Amino acid sequence: MAKLRTAMDAAFWDLDISTPLVLDGVAKAVPGEPIPLDGARASKSLRIQQLAFLKNGFPLGILPSISPSPNRKEVGALALQSVLGPLGVQNWWVGLIGQIRPKKLISSIKAEVKSAEEWDLSLLKDAARHVLDKSLYAVGLTSQIALPTSTSILLSTESHGERNKRRTKASLFHKLPNHDITVEAAWPQLFIDQKGKYWDVPESISMDCASLVSDSGMRYRFGVHKTVGVPKSVDSYNTESLPGLLPGLCAKAAVSFEKAKEFWRIKETKEDCIIEVEDGQIWRPAYDIRLREPHAAISGIIGATCAAWLHGEKDDKKRRFGADLFSSVCYTFQHGKFREYYGDLTRVDARLDVNSFSALAEKASGLFRTEQQTNQARNELGSPKLNLIVQQQVAGPIVFRVDSKFSLGSSSGRNGPHLEDLIYSLSYSLRLLGSGKVVAWYSGKRKEGMIELRMLEF
């Protein structure tokens, strides 16, 4: 089913969103904003691990991606990435990611040739100078250490030639029997807001403890987050401010209850996986074990969050204390067992999200007022969102997918229901991994696209 837990995770600081703008392929969603598309969530695998796996299936081990250049002058600029490693011994490994923007290089050399009066040695020197232009390149180093106590430490740093600053991250992960503990720090941390705009927070440190889902459907998490410095838009022309990223210390807790009910399901049988051939029988499971059983089901989640902020007097856009309710309900229908070559998978997930009951109540009460005070952030949260995910088998393990989000109220300066976001993707399921696939996606809203390896996702 569509990820119901995102309803809780969107209130915190560690919701990873896929992006080709940085080498580690991850930006954080701005906490407290409406829930992002499921198709926008980052892979559970590290970017360097994805590249190391995927390079075997691409020419010269090079993977393409599309995104605006860091200076935002080249919209849809092509970038090529490759990886060295990971190399390591026992519980430690290290890897290097390299990237080049060939479009800019070709344009620069082409302009140099056109402006040259004659072909001579100086022209070759000028062309070579463009090849050595550091603004064309980016390089990142990632290392992970696995400790014997179910703990791992991840360190990464990357530098882009078009930027004067380096990005550095440190993360600690610790698994308990029923909880996951995460500590993350970044200088700076890249965030992405609901409009697809990027923000750099000079320093971001967070510590989070999340429980696993119990048999009763209860889940909870709590954590603290500290930001230092004024957030800066990656888009120089974007001058608005986001309350969720202002400097300060915030403590937050949330609890949720999740339930699901199936209307019907066709269970997989042993005979489904056995194929008769001339020499006997062969075992052929579904292309993806998470998509092997046709069914129809409804699921829902409801929860509450509370937060307390400690911040300076100038940060008047934040409340000192806040509490709210959120809820999501999802209907799923799947036809086909995803094991035949054609017409064996059609799936629709429809999820209705209410991000903030208090904002919804404020918006509803505002309908009866003669004079309304507009608060854009609250107005966005008060508009229920309808997320639709449609998947259709193209041929064999290839599936076309569309993730869309509709606002059912007025938001983003638009009146009435309207489309807010849309992501197209094409995936190739890897049967040997059980539930793994190579996904190529594109977001028209962000003018970005990339290729990822995703595991254990429907």
Side-chain angles (χ1 to χ4, degrees), residues 227-255:
T227 56
V228 178
V230 178
K232 182 180 179 182
S233 173
V234 175
D235 303 317
S236 57
Y237 56 83
N238 190 357
T239 58
E240 63 179 314
S241 61
L242 296 177
L245 298 182
L246 292 178
L249 179 66
C250 178
K252 187 171 289 189
V255 62

Side-chain angles (χ1 to χ4, degrees), residues 244-446:
L245 298 182
L246 292 178
L249 179 66
C250 178
K252 187 171 289 189
V255 62
S256 68
F257 291 88
E258 182 178 338
K259 288 294 183 181
K261 177 179 177 56
E262 292 185 347
F263 298 111
W264 57 268
R265 176 181 290 269
I266 301 177
K267 293 286 187 178
E268 182 185 59
T269 63
K270 183 177 180 181
E271 288 73 20
D272 291 333
C273 302
I274 297 177
I275 305 299
E276 298 288 342
V277 295
E278 294 182 359
D279 298 333
Q281 298 177 334
I282 61 173
W283 181 262
R284 192 182 72 180
Y287 293 110
D288 190 321
I289 61 174
R290 297 171 71 91
L291 294 171
R292 62 187 175 183
E293 296 180 344
H295 67 280
I298 188 171
S299 58
I301 185 173
I302 187 169
T305 62
C306 63
W309 288 270
L310 300 173
H311 51 84
E313 296 181 357
K314 294 183 179 180
D315 302 329
D316 55 2
K317 293 188 178 181
K318 289 182 181 178
R319 294 175 294 173
R320 295 287 180 176
F321 179 82
D324 213 336
L325 298 174
F326 62 87
S327 180
S328 294
V329 61
C330 177
Y331 175 77
T332 299
F333 172 82
Q334 177 178 322
H335 167 75
K337 301 180 179 180
F338 199 33
R339 61 178 67 254
E340 303 296 334
Y341 291 108
Y342 300 101
D344 200 26
L345 177 67
T346 299
R347 175 167 171 147
V348 178
D349 291 82
R351 191 186 72 208
L352 180 65
D353 297 325
V354 178
N355 302 282
S356 168
F357 274 82
S358 64
L360 179 62
E362 289 178 15
K363 190 167 186 176
S365 63
L367 297 176
F368 304 98
R369 299 176 188 170
T370 56
E371 294 183 3
Q372 300 183 24
Q373 294 181 350
T374 59
N375 183 319
Q376 184 175 352
R378 298 291 290 172
N379 190 48
E380 292 282 355
L381 291 173
S383 298
K385 313 292 183 181
L386 177 62
N387 289 265
L388 291 177
I389 303 174
V390 179
Q391 299 183 76
Q392 177 62 51
Q393 181 185 23
V394 178
I398 302 174
V399 175
F400 178 69
R401 169 170 165 163
V402 178
D403 289 69
S404 58
K405 180 168 68 172
F406 297 85
S407 175
L408 302 185
S410 301
S411 61
S412 302
R414 302 161 74 178
N415 296 324
H418 58 273
L419 177 65
E420 281 195 343
D421 204 356
L422 188 66
I423 292 180
Y424 302 98
S425 64
L426 200 64
S427 65
Y428 186 97
S429 295
L430 304 172
R431 181 179 274 156
L432 292 178
L433 297 182
S435 183
K437 55 188 176 183
V438 181
V439 180
W441 61 264
Y442 179 77
S443 169
K445 181 178 182 178
R446 292 152 51 186

Side-chain angles (χ1 to χ4, degrees), residues 100-266:
I100 181 174
R101 291 187 175 272
K103 181 179 177 181
K104 183 177 180 180
L105 173 60
I106 295 172
S107 299
S108 300
I109 295 178
K110 185 177 179 180
E112 190 74 43
V113 171
K114 281 187 176 182
S115 62
E117 296 181 356
E118 59 181 22
W119 290 66
D120 54 15
L121 183 60
S122 62
L123 178 60
L124 295 177
K125 290 182 178 179
D126 291 336
R129 176 172 52 84
H130 290 295
V131 174
L132 299 177
D133 183 4
K134 68 176 184 179
S135 66
L136 300 171
Y137 304 97
V139 62
L141 184 68
T142 302
S143 179
Q144 187 174 45
I145 304 172
L147 302 179
T149 56
S150 300
T151 303
S152 63
I153 298 175
L154 180 68
L155 304 172
S156 66
T157 182
E158 62 181 72
S159 178
H160 295 254
E162 290 185 321
R163 307 170 192 169
N164 297 325
K165 56 190 174 185
R166 181 186 301 273
R167 294 186 179 275
T168 303
K169 289 184 179 181
S171 305
L172 182 145
F173 307 96
H174 181 69
K175 287 187 174 294
L176 296 174
N178 297 309
H179 296 82
D180 290 332
I181 297 176
T182 305
V183 180
E184 293 183 307
W187 304 270
Q189 177 65 68
L190 183 68
F191 286 87
I192 181 172
D193 64 20
Q194 60 181 330
K195 298 178 181 179
K197 306 300 182 184
Y198 290 97
W199 299 80
D200 269 334
V201 173
E203 180 179 319
S204 174
I205 302 174
S206 64
M207 181 176 67
D208 182 82
C209 178
S211 71
L212 304 181
V213 178
S214 63
D215 295 336
S216 65
M218 177 182 173
R219 179 173 177 252
Y220 60 87
R221 62 182 297 182
F222 56 88
V224 293
H225 182 223
K226 180 182 180 181
T227 56
V228 178
V230 178
K232 182 180 179 182
S233 173
V234 175
D235 303 317
S236 57
Y237 56 83
N238 190 357
T239 58
E240 63 179 314
S241 61
L242 296 177
L245 298 182
L246 292 178
L249 179 66
C250 178
K252 187 171 289 189
V255 62
S256 68
F257 291 88
E258 182 178 338
K259 288 294 183 181
K261 177 179 177 56
E262 292 185 347
F263 298 111
W264 57 268
R265 176 181 290 269
I266 301 177

